[in-house]
Amino acid sequence: MKYSDGKRRKTAAIILCAGRGTRTGLPYNKMLLRIGGDTVAELTLRAFTHSGICDDIVMTANPEDYDIIREIADENGACVVYGGETRTESVRKALASLSSDTEIVLIHDGARPFVSPELILSAADSAAEYGSGIAAVPSVDAVKEAENGYVIKTLNKSSLYNTQTPQAFRFGEIVDAYSKVVGNYGDDSEIYELAGYRARLVRGEYGNTKITTHADVFRLPGEYRTGIGFDVHRLSENRDLVLGGVLIPYPLGLLGHSDADVLVHAIMDAMLSAADMPDIGVLFPDNDPAYKGISSILLLDKVCGFLKERGVKLINVSAVVMAEKPKLAGYIPAIRESLARTLALPVQNVNVSATTTEKLGICGEGKGMAASAIVLVTV
């Protein structure tokens, strides 16, 4: 794949998923823990596929979870090998499975699902130029060296770093290191150093945390926010009725500058609210001819782009349409699927319901429709 210097290098990633994660206290492998609808394994793998740097991705799995990890890998163009009893053994097996013409390899703990594509590329760039790229962050705590429970030395934290993954290497060098160094280690750069190579650090991310203990499950990185949106449109003749991007057969349609998809408008305003951005009336004004008759699904796609630019990740959507007629129950599955496609969410993370207002108000009188939505995001 192409690097920042414009050159192409065959690049592979190893994602370690063969542990059992007993320290989390979960009754199953922590790689299968769901966060926002996706497993940890899926989130981690997706970060590497989205980085655009990997030609090959290998996941390791223990025998108990092999089938489900393989299913996740198959859906994302990766492959799976059996891991070993230790992390070091798993890396050895994964390295042995890679093509000999691999130039750069990234090794990553599967339990770090919040790694960014930018950090992945930074580590790979460093490996291409210097031989290695080890993600690390400066230590923020005072570090003590102790013996028998007593402090014997206080270390200068200005020169101390906490290493993370990914750790990227020139393929030939890390294979050579693993062939020379015996024993089990918790860090690939240590094996690299023991073999006589110099490990070079790249700036890691404090949000790139590893899910290790029971407390980590309830202390996931990122700030969670909710957003609320509401919209209402009058029903009119000679208009299509579109809800959630789905055309609904009905003699009347919603009146507006765009296609007046009241459901999508409520969802967009909820998303923009959660991202601390102006509402759709400001971003897509009804006096701008560019938005005359436009599909609201196209506007929703634009809003998704706005959130991505701000580093805001949508987790789930819950919305309700208020209308006396037509009956919408039969169209709800298609509406959910339409919204899920545009929002890039699993359909189970997009809930839509419909209700009447008991013949009260503009909706109850059949003169209009309204919708409200709430979203959950992380930043």
Side-chain angles (χ1 to χ4, degrees):
M1 288 295 180
K2 187 176 289 187
Y3 279 61
S4 295
D5 61 7
K7 294 182 179 179
R8 293 185 177 275
R9 300 174 178 88
K10 185 167 184 180
T11 303
I14 295 170
I15 301 177
L16 301 167
C17 304
R20 290 172 173 79
T22 54
R23 283 180 288 175
T24 61
L26 296 171
Y28 51 85
N29 188 343
K30 62 188 176 184
M31 299 306 305
L32 305 180
L33 171 69
R34 289 193 174 274
I35 300 174
D38 295 315
T39 64
V40 170
E42 288 171 307
L43 292 172
T44 305
L45 177 55
R46 197 170 299 142
F48 280 82
T49 57
H50 286 179
S51 73
I53 200 73
C54 302
D55 297 284
D56 300 307
I57 300 178
V58 177
M59 305 177 78
T60 66
N62 61 50
E64 293 90 337
D65 304 318
Y66 184 86
D67 288 342
I68 190 167
I69 296 295
R70 184 180 61 184
E71 183 177 337
I72 292 169
D74 288 346
E75 291 175 353
N76 293 274
C79 62
V80 185
V81 298
Y82 284 105
E85 288 299 316
T86 66
R87 184 187 189 282
T88 301
E89 289 178 21
S90 290
V91 174
R92 288 184 198 279
K93 290 186 174 186
L95 286 171
S97 73
L98 294 174
S99 170
S100 60
D101 62 349
T102 301
E103 297 175 76
I104 302 294
V105 62
L106 297 119
I107 304 172
H108 187 69
D109 296 323
R112 291 186 187 271
F114 305 106
V115 61
S116 72
E118 292 76 17
L119 178 54
I120 293 168
L121 180 57
S122 176
D125 275 338
S126 178
E129 185 171 357
Y130 302 105
S132 60
I134 313 301
V137 292
S139 178
V140 296
D141 298 313
V143 181
K144 310 287 184 178
E145 184 177 339
E147 190 175 281
N148 297 323
Y150 291 92
V151 173
I152 59 175
K153 187 178 181 180
T154 297
L155 304 178
N156 182 2
K157 70 177 182 180
S158 66
S159 62
L160 298 177
Y161 287 79
N162 298 327
T163 58
Q164 304 176 330
T165 63
Q167 298 190 1
F169 307 91
R170 289 178 185 150
F171 182 63
E173 293 180 1
I174 193 65
V175 168
D176 177 63
Y178 266 87
S179 70
K180 290 178 177 177
V181 178
V182 297
N184 293 303
Y185 300 86
D187 179 83
D188 305 292
S189 63
E190 185 177 3
I191 294 174
Y192 189 71
E193 294 166 47
L194 289 172
Y197 296 101
R198 296 187 69 191
R200 184 177 178 87
L201 301 182
V202 297
R203 184 61 180 258
E205 299 165 337
Y206 287 105
N208 180 28
T209 55
K210 184 179 180 183
I211 301 172
T212 303
T213 68
H214 183 69
D216 294 330
V217 175
F218 299 97
R219 193 174 59 244
L220 298 175
E223 175 186 345
Y224 290 86
R225 297 181 187 173
T226 58
I228 297 175
F230 178 84
D231 196 33
V232 60
H233 281 276
R234 185 178 297 276
L235 284 163
S236 174
E237 294 181 347
N238 302 315
R239 293 280 297 187
D240 289 333
L241 176 58
V242 181
L243 294 173
V246 175
L247 181 64
I248 310 293
Y250 193 60
L252 305 176
L254 294 169
L255 186 63
H257 185 64
S258 66
D259 65 1
D261 189 330
V262 69
L263 174 58
V264 171
H265 290 188
I267 291 170
M268 287 193 292
D269 270 341
M271 293 167 65
L272 293 165
S273 170
D276 191 27
M277 292 185 67
D279 61 31
I280 58 174
V282 175
L283 296 176
F284 312 117
D286 61 8
N287 58 2
D288 189 334
Y291 305 120
K292 178 69 174 176
I294 193 171
S295 166
S296 294
I297 286 291
L298 296 179
L299 299 181
L300 180 61
D301 188 59
K302 288 180 179 288
V303 170
C304 290
F306 295 154
L307 265 63
K308 185 176 181 180
E309 289 172 4
R310 287 182 166 240
V312 178
K313 178 178 172 56
L314 183 65
I315 295 176
N316 78 293
V317 175
S318 182
V320 58
V321 178
M322 289 156 270
E324 196 66 30
K325 292 180 180 179
K327 298 301 181 184
L328 298 174
Y331 301 101
I332 294 297
I335 290 172
R336 292 179 66 196
E337 289 175 6
S338 171
L339 292 170
R341 278 195 303 271
T342 304
L343 296 169
L345 287 176
V347 71
Q348 63 264 30
N349 287 36
V350 180
N351 185 266
V352 176
S353 60
T355 187
T356 69
T357 59
E358 298 294 333
K359 300 188 182 300
L360 298 174
I362 186 174
C363 297
E365 294 169 3
K367 296 178 180 178
M369 289 186 180
S372 65
I374 184 167
V375 303
L376 178 66
V377 304
T378 183
V379 297

